[in-house]
Amino acid sequence: MLVDYGGSIFPIVAHSPWNGLHLADFVMPFFLFIVGVSLALVYKKVTNRVEATWKAVARVLKLFLLGVLLQGGYLHGISSLTYGVDIERIRWFGILQRIAIGYIVTALCEIWLSQRTSRQWHFVQSYYWHWSLAIFLSVIYVALSYGLYVPDWQFEVTSSSGSTFYSVKCSVRGDLGPACNAAGMIDRYVIGNNHLYAKPVYRNLKDCNMSTSGQVSDNSPSWCHASFDPEGILSSLTAAVTCIIGLQYGHVLANLQDSKRRLDNWFLFSASLSVPGIFLALVGVAVNKSLYTVSYMLITSSAAGVTFCALYLLVDVYGYRQLTSLLEWMGKHSLSSFILVTSNVAVIALQGFYWKVPENNIIHWIVTLVVRS
């Protein structure tokens, strides 16, 4: 909610156009992290692995399809009450779909790869297959990102005035820019250019000369007009690793009863994530949310761990529950809140209350007050 409606007013809140970190860039990894934490509690005791697997698959399919309905182009925004989408242009991947992928990878990891026979619990040794999978996914991500050859490519943009063809010159390996990265190439080949996000955040870069109305200038580089999905296939690998990292924090919560031991383990783990993440950023590995780079994954996972520690200390240890009652309510109703906002039902409902003329509505008042302040 804050990102979608506050980002246009406060740029630091909105997603970073490409490299770097803004407040909005912490939202997705924080959510993936807490999904991992919750799965450690959900699957603490699994009596029937096959049954648990089928339930996880069913839950993921529902979440994935709900994401397609909400962000696939079926709904047409707050300015139109029409609906419907051309199957040839539907967006298959999105926020809920990414969470669904992270969920199923982590759930299967917990159901099938946990060593439940050991009496003595250890943070690393008890779940070494989890760590092995996380490292494997990260290695695959790095190998594809830097090893795949990205050739020159072309695409077509269709508008009310007709079709325009663009060409992008690449012929490179290991490029992490918006035009020639391997993640975009994989999505174009596997998903199809027409099924990607049509308004990528990199259009806010100065190179694209985007107007206040959201139109890209004709003299901008050709890649500024292209579609790109920040929740694509390749970046889902490292996104799943964030979920697996959250799972390990959940193991501490589920297996240790002493608050001090919990916090010691969490802080140590957060520090062990931040050090390599910052090192990679310093040596030139871009911190990039759209590509979900390894440095971005490590730094945001560490930040999620520290935030989790702070909230645990505030609420569970010191008992300041009233201070976070609103956050608790939102956490319990997170999916419902997301549906109301993403479907624009909440915004449309608020716009229905106006003074004398429809344009003079509550949303307009809020935006005006914020701009003036």
Side-chain angles (χ1 to χ4, degrees), residues 258-323:
D258 180 66
S259 295
K260 185 178 184 303
R261 289 188 64 196
R262 284 175 173 174
L263 289 167
D264 287 344
N265 277 275
W266 288 335
F267 274 119
L268 179 62
F269 190 26
S270 298
S272 66
L273 292 171
S274 65
V275 171
I278 294 172
F279 172 77
L280 289 174
L282 292 176
V283 298
V285 179
V287 180
N288 188 295
K289 187 265 180 186
S290 295
L291 298 177
Y292 218 108
T293 56
V294 175
S295 57
Y296 170 81
M297 179 265 292
L298 292 170
I299 291 173
T300 54
S301 296
S302 173
V306 172
T307 305
F308 185 70
C309 290
L311 289 173
Y312 176 81
L313 193 64
L314 181 69
V315 178
D316 293 80
V317 177
Y318 292 113
Y320 293 109
R321 200 176 185 89
Q322 292 183 345
L323 295 177

Side-chain angles (χ1 to χ4, degrees), residues 78-143:
I78 60 176
S79 59
S80 175
L81 295 179
T82 61
Y83 59 91
V85 62
D86 183 355
I87 296 297
E88 292 186 351
R89 296 189 174 277
I90 192 170
R91 182 189 177 197
W92 293 114
F93 286 79
I95 294 173
L96 292 184
Q97 297 93 310
R98 165 147 293 179
I99 295 173
I101 293 171
Y103 183 102
I104 192 61
V105 170
T106 309
L108 294 177
C109 182
E110 180 68 1
I111 294 170
W112 293 97
L113 300 181
S114 297
Q115 300 295 319
R116 303 180 189 277
T117 57
S118 176
R119 293 183 179 180
Q120 185 177 3
W121 178 84
H122 190 274
F123 190 56
V124 176
Q125 294 177 0
S126 299
Y127 302 101
Y128 61 88
W129 283 114
H130 295 193
W131 298 106
S132 299
L133 178 60
I135 294 171
F136 174 75
L137 292 176
S138 300
V139 169
I140 293 297
Y141 173 88
V142 172

Side-chain angles (χ1 to χ4, degrees), residues 214-257:
Q215 298 298 317
V216 177
S217 173
D218 292 334
N219 60 359
S220 300
S222 56
W223 52 265
C224 291
H225 301 269
S227 300
F228 178 85
D229 212 315
E231 281 83 40
I233 295 172
L234 184 59
S235 57
S236 293
L237 297 179
T238 38
V241 174
T242 297
C243 228
I244 296 174
I245 289 172
L247 181 66
Q248 310 315 312
Y249 281 78
H251 288 151
V252 174
L253 185 63
N255 291 282
L256 296 180
Q257 301 305 316

